[in-house]
Amino acid sequence: MSLAGPPLPRQLHNDEKISPTKLAGVQYVIVLVLAVLVAGLWRLQVLGSDNWKVLAEANRIKKVPVLAPRGKIFDREGRLLVDNYPSVTCYLLPEQLHDPNVDLPLIAKGLHLTVAQIQTILNRYKGAAKYQPIPLKQDVTPDEEAFIEAHRNELPELETHDEQRRLYPRDGFAAHLIGYVGEVSEAMLNNDSRYAFYSPGDVVGQSGVEQTYDALLRGTDGSRDILVNSHGKEVGLHGQEMAIPGKDLRLTIDLDIQRAAEKALDGKNGAIVAMDPHTGEILAMVSRPAFDPNQFAVRLTRSYWNEILNNPDHPLMNKAIQAQLAPGSTFKIIMSAAGLQENVAQDMHVVCNGGADFYGHYFKCDVHHGMVNIDNAIPYSCDTFYYTLANRLGIDTIARYANEFGLGQRTGVDLPEEALGTVPSTMWALKNFHRKWYAGETISVGIGQGAVTVTPIQMARAIGGIASGGVMHRPHLVFPDEVPADVFTSLSENHPGSGEKTVPLTAANWETITDGMAQTVQPGAFHTAAAARLDGIDFAGKTGTADVVGGRVKNSSDKRTIPNAWFVGVAPRRNPDIVVAVLWEHGYWGNNSARLAAQIVNAFVTKQRRLANNLRLAEAPKAAPAPDTTPTASNAAPHVPAAE
């Protein structure tokens, strides 16, 4: 019996062998894969070791920005005007925010905010990098800081930074000339090349010298590298880059003169500019009503913003450089210079019987002055004389001299958004209204009404220049030699103006004008500012009473119908050391503003005498009362007719 089983299938009898070629191919593939893996490991472990080390360090090092403190601001004698104070700001780290629905209500409660406010802030920084800290709240209180620390593990997205905040003078003191700071807006980042290198959250100057000299004041930010553990808690300092503080700024402002100007305009609306005509240095600048720049130094509240935005008296407007109003009779100094230089006014003798007819219209003068010539026309402020002079000169001659003395153009003062004003002419009428200029319109321009408008700083520069023999300097708030050359060049380009110039005046004409201005503040039957006389001080000037739109309404309780009171004064009368321009909105007669200017001139002269050890003090006039609305021989001012 055979024990052999059934025969095996053929394929089991003949084992198939892998060809040497295939075997070699598989081996090469395996070697190649291993080589690639080895090369990758070598690249990671050797070539990329430094890079991975940096990334690993980044996992435990947090970069914290250190904001540079802004430069301080001083007056001309080194007295501090604007300082900084230590503050704490709470930031949110977007990359650490895991569940907004849970975290945001808790954060809002602890920081005394609303969820909507936080969402608005987050939306503003939506396009920013995830690692960029977002400022949630400035000037964090001690209890809010304690809340952040107590919830460090629960809310790792919150952190606090120590910063320096602006501290401005109280009660809006010098607010318009100093300005304020605030976070750079999205519109500024998108539309203004000056902010091309800024980031959301950066603090920049928004107005005044804070804006003009922001590049000098802001400094360069630094940073600190903080060691943190796996929970984000700080455990040490790895390194730091020191912040470079901003440059301190010394203004031309004299704190004593500024105080006198602030006091003079207290409770009134308008502006005051005091300037040294020899150099163009601004000694004081006030605009009222004012605002509190400290409100802008931290996050501005909506209620305060609405309050100042809806104020009809425009507290944000720097009226010293932006109020464009009819100058009234202060313009008669420009008219006098034009008439004398053109050899028209010297031989003019006009009989004033309370007005005169021109082109079929009667133009009124409030007082019957009798015989008037150029010697008494300025102290009398006789409208009839200047109506006649304007008619003889013609509008284009008047415009030429007004432009020569810097009206209708910016002075170039180193402040943002200076206004131009308006000097009408035949070309002006054609360009703006596509019509001819009517001769009857010239009559009103002759007394500073009609279409002519000026700013207080323009009038200060023009009248100060005339009293200086026609020499006019560019007004400025910072000493040019303390500003780097490239910054000064940039300022000149960004603040164009008529600059330094001389308008030739003959010695005789110069003396006639300045003597007439001096007589204005001396006792006299028709002298318009006799009440502002300063004993022992060579004080000169010119009043102006400028009707507002709608004309002068007698016995009206609506202040909008009350004329604006102007005065521009100098001391001494020739080559003055100070010029003061005062605009008192709805102050009625110009002699009311003359009293305010006298207070400032008195403060200036008294200080100069004290510094020179000459203690002979001048007698200051009493504080200006409520506007005097009754014309008399001593305070009469012109009634202004509507232009034809």
Side-chain angles (χ1 to χ4, degrees), residues 582-606:
V582 178
L583 164 64
W584 182 353
E585 291 182 318
H586 312 298
Y588 218 104
W589 302 111
N591 66 344
N592 294 326
S593 286
R595 293 188 182 101
L596 306 186
Q599 296 174 38
I600 299 163
V601 169
N602 177 69
F604 174 82
V605 174
T606 299

Side-chain angles (χ1 to χ4, degrees), residues 132 184-185 188-204 214-215 218-221:
Q132 178 181 335
V184 60
S185 66
M188 294 163 68
L189 292 172
N190 295 334
N191 303 320
D192 197 327
S193 60
R194 292 177 300 174
Y195 304 100
F197 299 102
Y198 288 70
S199 302
D202 284 349
V203 174
V204 298
D214 181 71
R218 73 184 312 263
T220 304
D221 294 341

Side-chain angles (χ1 to χ4, degrees), residues 85 138-139 165-173 175 179-183 203 206-207 210 290-309 315-316:
Y85 70 93
Q138 301 166 341
D139 267 351
R165 294 284 168 200
R166 265 323 205 200
L167 182 62
Y168 295 104
R170 294 182 298 174
D171 302 322
F173 185 91
Y180 61 89
V181 296
E183 286 188 23
V203 174
Q206 301 277 6
S207 71
E210 288 275 29
F291 60 92
D292 182 6
N294 291 296
Q295 294 281 350
F296 294 83
V298 294
R299 192 171 297 280
L300 183 65
T301 63
R302 183 177 297 276
S303 60
Y304 185 75
W305 175 248
N306 289 334
E307 176 187 340
I308 59 176
L309 196 64
L316 287 177

Side-chain angles (χ1 to χ4, degrees), residues 98-332:
H98 301 299
D99 191 345
N101 293 328
V102 175
D103 291 356
L104 293 189
L106 180 59
I107 294 173
K109 181 179 180 181
L111 296 182
H112 303 98
L113 300 171
T114 65
V115 175
Q117 287 176 311
I118 296 178
Q119 288 287 8
T120 299
I121 297 171
L122 296 181
N123 290 337
R124 182 183 174 192
Y125 291 87
K126 187 177 295 184
K130 282 288 186 181
Y131 58 81
Q132 178 181 335
I134 297 175
L136 278 187
K137 188 170 186 180
Q138 301 166 341
D139 267 351
V140 169
T141 62
D143 64 308
E144 291 168 343
E145 193 171 3
F147 162 81
I148 297 170
E149 187 61 33
H151 293 78
R152 182 70 65 185
N153 294 331
E154 189 177 357
L155 299 172
E157 62 266 33
L158 295 184
E159 62 180 20
T160 58
H161 294 172
D162 294 331
E163 298 177 355
Q164 295 284 317
R165 294 284 168 200
R166 265 323 205 200
L167 182 62
Y168 295 104
R170 294 182 298 174
D171 302 322
F173 185 91
H176 292 88
L177 74 92
I178 293 173
Y180 61 89
V181 296
E183 286 188 23
V184 60
S185 66
E186 186 175 349
M188 294 163 68
L189 292 172
N190 295 334
N191 303 320
D192 197 327
S193 60
R194 292 177 300 174
Y195 304 100
F197 299 102
Y198 288 70
S199 302
D202 284 349
V203 174
V204 298
Q206 301 277 6
S207 71
V209 296
E210 288 275 29
Q211 178 178 339
T212 302
Y213 294 96
D214 181 71
L216 292 178
L217 289 166
R218 73 184 312 263
T220 304
D221 294 341
S223 64
R224 290 187 301 148
D225 294 332
I226 303 298
L227 297 173
V228 296
N229 59 21
S230 59
H231 298 289
K233 186 175 181 179
E234 297 182 7
V235 295
L237 177 65
H238 182 265
Q240 62 180 338
E241 181 180 352
M242 301 298 294
I244 302 175
K247 176 180 171 59
D248 292 342
L249 209 57
R250 186 168 69 96
L251 305 184
T252 61
I253 294 297
D254 186 317
L255 187 57
D256 300 313
I257 310 305
Q258 182 71 27
R259 287 194 183 112
E262 298 270 354
K263 182 179 179 180
L265 206 57
D266 185 41
K268 310 169 184 67
N269 291 342
I272 293 177
V273 177
M275 189 173 70
D276 181 350
H278 298 302
T279 61
E281 295 169 6
I282 296 176
L283 304 175
M285 179 182 286
V286 182
S287 179
R288 284 288 184 273
F291 60 92
D292 182 6
N294 291 296
Q295 294 281 350
F296 294 83
V298 294
R299 192 171 297 280
L300 183 65
T301 63
R302 183 177 297 276
S303 60
Y304 185 75
W305 175 248
N306 289 334
E307 176 187 340
I308 59 176
L309 196 64
N310 297 324
N311 188 327
D313 293 322
H314 309 294
L316 287 177
M317 174 189 286
N318 185 353
K319 296 175 182 177
I321 66 170
Q322 294 175 321
Q324 303 175 86
L325 299 170
S329 293
T330 57
F331 190 72
K332 292 173 182 176

Side-chain angles (χ1 to χ4, degrees), residues 325-335 381 383 386 407 444-450 452-454 459 463 542-548 552 563-568 583 588 590 637-640:
L325 299 170
S329 293
T330 57
F331 190 72
K332 292 173 182 176
I333 301 300
I334 307 295
M335 291 293 300
S381 194
D383 284 357
Y386 287 98
L407 305 187
S444 294
V445 172
I447 61 167
Q449 291 280 175
V452 62
T453 62
V454 300
M459 290 308 295
I463 304 303
K542 183 70 192 77
T543 56
T545 303
D547 277 0
V548 295
R552 193 180 310 176
N564 295 322
W566 284 86
F567 182 82
V568 183
L583 164 64
Y588 218 104
H639 174 77
V640 183

